[in-house]
Amino acid sequence: MSSSTTPSAPPPTTAASPSTAEPAGLGARLALIAVALMWPTQLLSLSGLLGGNAQASVALHFHTTEIGWFILVNALVGTVVLPFVVKAADLYGKRNTMIAITVLGLVGDIVAALATTYETLLIGRAIAGFYAPIAALAYASVRELFPPKQVGTASGFIGSGIAFVALGGPFLTGWLLDSFGFRGVLWALAIATAVGLVLLLTVVPETPHRVRGTNFNWLSGLLLGLGAASVIYGVGKGGEWGWTDAGTLGFILGGVLAVILFVVIEKKSANPLFDLTMMSRRPVWSVMVATSLIAGTIFGTGVITQLLVLFPKIPTVSDGLGMTATYFAVIGIPASILILVVGFGTGALLRRLDARIPLALGAALGSLSFVLSHTWHYTTFQLIILSPISAFAMGMIVASVPVLI
């Protein structure tokens, strides 16, 4: 979500986007821009899939039991830098900011791929975490680069690109790990990031929106970023340490206090990081809460599903199905295609339809899928039968959320 101007700042200077003269249909140029914005957005999903599957190989190679940091350090850095990246996009332009964090992401990917120690690998993964906020900037860029009638179509296309990740990601992971090991996965991420950088440099134009006459509020940014990261870390370690452990509670409560302090300072700041008065408006806070809960549940359940099908069945420990990643990818092909079709179709309909309708319908179908899968998740046939319901739900949700935000 792009942040708005603050009350103390002069009105932003917004130039007319050259895309406003485009006809109603997506022309070749706008379609290429949509692809260029979809690439970095869905690369985050692919990175999570590839990195998650590579963890075992990384742990064995470096003889470490602290493999959780392989994923966690990337997410924590991304959370800390998010407020600064969003503010930089308002000051210097979204394209310029996306290029800067993509360069950092590429540097981090290369450091990780060349690492000879686990500590160096984590440093590379941490640097790559600067790339994490790019999805927020890509979706925000759509509203500035596309004619109003095409915003829903473009956003739906970008969001439904997750189907390509779901369709090809497991096959790609299996091939890379089997043929080149975990370094093949890391180099593949570096190459994909480099492709994204080329697309940003050659295809995506700069967004016209700027906020003038304001500066970074470093204290507020640190409080928000570190506070959110502290909560995430505490929740992530809660299962290992125990939910009543002093360390778990310390990170969670400390993070909450930091966020509260951020709100207090922001309200008194002459140069606030975000216009918090927006959150007092019902259309804003209700959209934030609804989309966060719905999208978070849908995507979080995808992780659980992967664990369910890929883990072996171990009495009293795991109720997994013991499938290979390739086999799971094969039975998931119809659902992946359906996500893409429904997402793109929903995006087109949003030109004439209130985005709350498909979001609510997607949430209802997702809830139905969860209820049914509670009982029917023991065989391949049951997974295939239920997959169209969850695919319809995800397709509508990924298309509706960015439009509402």
Side-chain angles (χ1 to χ4, degrees):
M1 183 197 303
S2 62
S3 58
S4 65
T5 57
T6 65
S8 59
T13 301
T14 304
S17 172
S19 63
T20 55
E22 292 287 335
L26 273 182
R29 184 177 67 86
L30 290 181
L32 187 58
I33 293 175
V35 171
L37 291 175
M38 180 180 70
W39 184 275
T41 302
Q42 298 308 331
L43 179 57
L44 292 176
S45 302
L46 181 62
S47 176
L49 176 64
L50 295 179
N53 287 336
Q55 287 183 101
S57 297
V58 171
L60 290 172
H61 179 83
F62 290 106
H63 306 289
T64 179
T65 58
E66 299 294 329
I67 192 58
W69 284 102
F70 179 72
I71 299 295
L72 192 58
V73 69
N74 186 270
L76 289 176
V77 171
T79 303
V80 171
V81 302
L82 176 60
F84 299 104
V85 170
V86 171
K87 193 65 175 181
D90 273 348
L91 292 173
Y92 307 114
K94 296 176 180 62
R95 175 180 179 268
N96 290 332
T97 305
M98 286 191 288
I99 290 173
I101 62 176
T102 301
V103 169
L104 287 171
L106 179 58
V107 170
D109 288 338
I110 293 175
V111 170
L114 293 173
T116 56
T117 65
Y118 188 55
E119 290 75 16
T120 306
L121 176 65
L122 293 182
I123 291 173
R125 293 285 292 170
I127 297 173
F130 280 83
Y131 184 78
I134 199 167
L137 302 188
Y139 280 120
S141 298
V142 170
R143 192 163 294 278
E144 296 185 49
L145 298 177
F146 287 77
K149 290 184 178 180
Q150 297 301 325
V151 169
T153 302
S155 297
F157 175 78
I158 293 172
S160 61
I162 193 174
F164 292 114
V165 176
L167 184 63
F171 293 104
L172 178 63
T173 303
W175 174 66
L176 289 172
L177 286 175
D178 292 343
S179 302
F180 308 103
F182 75 91
R183 292 197 188 276
V185 169
L186 297 177
W187 278 116
L189 292 176
I191 293 171
T193 304
V195 171
L197 179 60
V198 171
L199 289 173
L200 287 171
L201 290 170
T202 60
V203 176
V204 179
E206 183 54 275
T207 54
H209 175 78
R210 294 290 190 281
V211 175
R212 306 296 185 187
T214 184
N215 298 310
F216 277 107
N217 189 326
W218 292 99
L219 178 59
S220 291
L222 288 173
L223 284 172
L224 178 59
L226 292 176
S230 179
V231 173
I232 292 173
Y233 183 77
V235 171
K237 301 295 284 187
E240 176 184 345
W241 294 346
W243 294 106
T244 58
D245 180 80
T248 302
L249 295 176
F251 275 105
I252 294 176
L253 294 178
V256 171
L257 289 175
V259 173
I260 293 174
L261 186 57
F262 156 78
V263 173
V264 174
I265 292 177
E266 280 286 280
K267 287 185 175 181
K268 298 180 179 180
S269 175
N271 295 303
L273 199 63
F274 300 112
D275 183 6
L276 293 181
T277 59
M278 290 178 59
M279 294 304 296
S280 64
R281 305 172 189 170
R282 183 173 175 274
V284 177
W285 68 258
S286 60
V287 164
M288 295 296 294
V289 173
T291 55
S292 298
L293 290 175
I294 295 172
T297 302
I298 290 291
F299 288 109
T301 305
V303 176
I304 297 174
T305 301
Q306 285 183 319
L307 294 175
L308 169 67
V309 299
L310 298 179
F311 263 61
K313 184 176 181 61
I314 305 174
T316 72
V317 176
S318 167
D319 202 24
L321 302 180
M323 297 180 182
T324 64
T326 301
Y327 182 80
F328 182 46
V330 170
I331 67 174
I333 289 176
S336 298
I337 295 175
L338 193 56
I339 292 173
L340 180 63
V341 173
V342 173
F344 187 77
T346 301
L349 287 174
L350 290 178
R351 292 164 55 186
R352 302 180 297 273
L353 185 69
D354 188 335
R356 292 175 297 179
I357 296 175
L359 179 66
L361 183 56
L365 288 175
S367 299
L368 175 62
S369 174
F370 299 152
V371 171
L372 295 176
S373 62
H374 177 267
T375 303
W376 295 344
H377 62 263
Y378 297 101
T379 66
T380 298
F381 177 75
Q382 290 176 349
L383 293 178
I384 293 176
I385 291 297
L386 291 180
S387 63
I389 302 176
S390 58
F392 261 99
M394 181 168 287
M396 286 185 283
I397 289 169
V398 297
S400 303
V401 167
V403 175
L404 277 168
I405 293 179

